[in-house]
Amino acid sequence: MADPITKVCRELCRKFPHHPARAIARKLVERTNGAITLDGARSRVRYQFGQCGAKKKNRTGAVAKRPARAPGQGIDLPPTLAEPWVVHDFGVVGVVGVISDLHVPYHSEIAVKAAVELMQDREIAGLLINGDFCDFYAISRFDKDPAKRDFKAELSAIREVLGSLRAAFPDIPIVLKSGNHEERWSAWLWQHAPEISDMPEMGLDRWLHLDKHQITLVEDKRIVMLGQLPVLHGHEKGKGISSPVNQARGAFLRLNHTVLEGHGHRTSGHCEPDMFGREVFCWSTGCLCELHPAYAPINKMNHGFALVDVQADGEFDVTNLRITAEGKVRQS
Ligand SMILES: [Fe+2]
Ligand SMILES: [Fe+2]
């Protein structure tokens, strides 16, 4: 005749045959009002699962035999298909130029020249092209003007501007982070050539000749870190406050974290202290494309870019710059 504790133990093991032994042991201690210790409860549970070593394993008393498990192995699962989402550390100490939204071949020659000249003057140590470098108008899923659908010409202009940027900054690391317009490439492939879309030859890096110019591509909406400053293109946050009055404040409300982003084609900044008085500062940079695109000729876009001075300890200073219609660079 089993004692009362063994009875409760058997009942629990029958009821929860797949639960970890430690969890059942805790229940047993609870159900018996602490009449036994957790260790004692655990050996009783293991006994009921037939896991008391080779000698006792085949005893007939076990009510729910099961194979021994590795520590922490609660349940059997297939390996996850989810890929890790990790930040890209730019890894440069010094002044990094951050430009975005050139939308080549619809770039502004005046704005790009002004930004490049100032960055050369400041002898930047790295260049981050923060998304929407390409427009990819011809492969957009939106309504398109047939007269403008010349993908080959677009591609050729994109390659040319990349080459010009490398020539302007021959010895520094250059990173191109994908924006929503670069993602038009994979979206187009998935729709029109799914069978070959995952071949390395179809990668955006190959089509833009990034290897030739030693330019690193960062895809999958990953964050680029300039020291401790996270940089986003701006489309990574998903739907929500898509066109806030102040983009930087919209970013603050979504992220509650310091960030610098492009995408909105408008220079803005927003700063608030957190409950410990630490400063949370969000910035959005202006664009370097034409300011009156056919889809929205009247808008509030402005030209601009940023310089981020990154210290060895990760501290940083952001200078958010605007460019006037005449090509003068102004500090916001
Ligand atoms: Fe853009
Ligand atoms: Fe964008």
Side-chain angles (χ1 to χ4, degrees), residues 101 103 132 181 233 263 265:
D101 299 282
H103 291 266
D132 287 4
H181 279 253
H233 172 62
H263 185 57
H265 296 201

Side-chain angles (χ1 to χ4, degrees), residues 2-320:
D3 66 86
I5 296 177
T6 304
K7 268 190 184 170
V8 179
C9 184
R10 284 181 174 170
E11 184 193 320
L12 288 171
C13 290
R14 280 198 196 99
K15 195 170 173 189
F16 305 110
H18 303 298
H19 284 204
R22 182 172 285 275
I24 299 174
R26 262 191 240 112
K27 280 185 204 294
L28 183 57
V29 173
E30 211 179 287
R31 289 274 295 271
T32 55
N33 294 321
I36 51 169
T37 62
L38 184 61
D39 276 350
R42 199 152 169 244
S43 21
R44 282 176 183 254
V45 170
R46 287 171 57 79
Y47 180 88
Q48 296 303 333
F49 285 141
Q51 297 168 352
C52 289
K55 277 188 186 168
K56 297 181 186 171
K57 203 160 77 178
N58 295 322
R59 284 195 181 171
T60 48
V63 294
K65 278 190 184 173
R66 71 182 193 191
R69 290 174 175 180
Q73 183 193 347
I75 107 177
D76 291 329
L77 290 175
T80 177
L81 295 180
E83 288 173 15
W85 188 70
V86 289
V87 301
H88 176 89
D89 187 356
F90 198 99
V92 165
V93 172
V95 178
V96 176
V98 182
I99 60 174
S100 72
D101 299 282
L102 282 78
H103 291 266
V104 181
Y106 305 111
H107 50 286
S108 159
E109 292 172 52
I110 290 177
V112 174
K113 278 182 190 163
V116 166
E117 274 171 23
L118 187 123
M119 291 189 292
Q120 285 176 320
D121 196 46
R122 299 286 170 91
E123 297 183 9
I124 57 169
L127 176 64
L128 170 59
I129 306 169
N130 188 24
D132 287 4
F133 175 78
C134 318
D135 191 85
F136 282 161
Y137 179 87
I139 55 171
S140 158
R141 64 189 162 85
F142 299 109
D143 289 342
K144 298 174 282 281
D145 176 351
K148 285 184 172 178
R149 289 191 62 172
D150 187 346
F151 185 62
K152 282 183 268 188
E154 272 195 62
L155 201 53
S156 156
I158 289 164
R159 288 170 178 167
E160 198 178 326
V161 179
L162 280 174
S164 300
L165 285 176
R166 177 43 91 193
F169 303 102
D171 304 315
I172 61 170
I174 301 181
V175 166
L176 168 58
K177 175 174 157 53
S178 263
N180 48 309
H181 279 253
E182 278 78 20
E183 288 175 1
R184 286 179 174 179
W185 174 245
S186 52
W188 185 89
L189 277 177
W190 293 342
Q191 195 179 355
H192 298 279
E195 296 83 358
I196 55 168
S197 62
D198 60 345
M199 290 175 71
E201 292 85 349
M202 303 310 291
L204 189 61
D205 52 339
R206 299 279 184 100
W207 282 78
L208 300 189
H209 295 172
L210 296 187
D211 263 9
K212 182 174 157 193
H213 302 302
Q214 288 104 48
I215 295 174
T216 306
L217 180 65
V218 175
E219 295 182 287
D220 306 319
K221 298 185 170 68
R222 289 164 62 196
I223 299 168
V224 174
M225 297 299 296
L226 298 181
Q228 292 168 11
L229 174 66
V231 181
L232 296 175
H233 172 62
H235 70 310
E236 299 86 343
K237 305 186 295 291
K239 300 265 185 281
I241 308 167
S242 52
S243 303
V245 176
N246 177 314
Q247 187 188 343
R249 184 163 188 273
F252 172 82
L253 293 174
R254 290 295 297 276
L255 304 171
N256 291 313
H257 198 284
T258 289
V259 74
L260 182 146
E261 59 179 38
H263 185 57
H265 296 201
R266 202 171 167 196
T267 304
S268 68
H270 181 80
C271 179
E272 277 189 37
D274 69 11
M275 64 184 281
F276 297 107
R278 287 180 302 227
E279 191 178 71
V280 178
F281 212 132
C282 298
W283 297 267
S284 71
T285 51
C287 60
L288 297 178
C289 61
E290 62 162 336
L291 294 179
H292 306 288
Y295 64 86
I298 300 173
N299 57 62
K300 292 185 174 176
M301 297 179 189
N302 70 270
H303 287 144
F305 65 108
L307 297 176
V308 182
D309 192 355
V310 183
Q311 314 295 319
D313 61 2
E315 287 282 315
F316 57 86
D317 272 310
V318 174
T319 309
N320 205 3

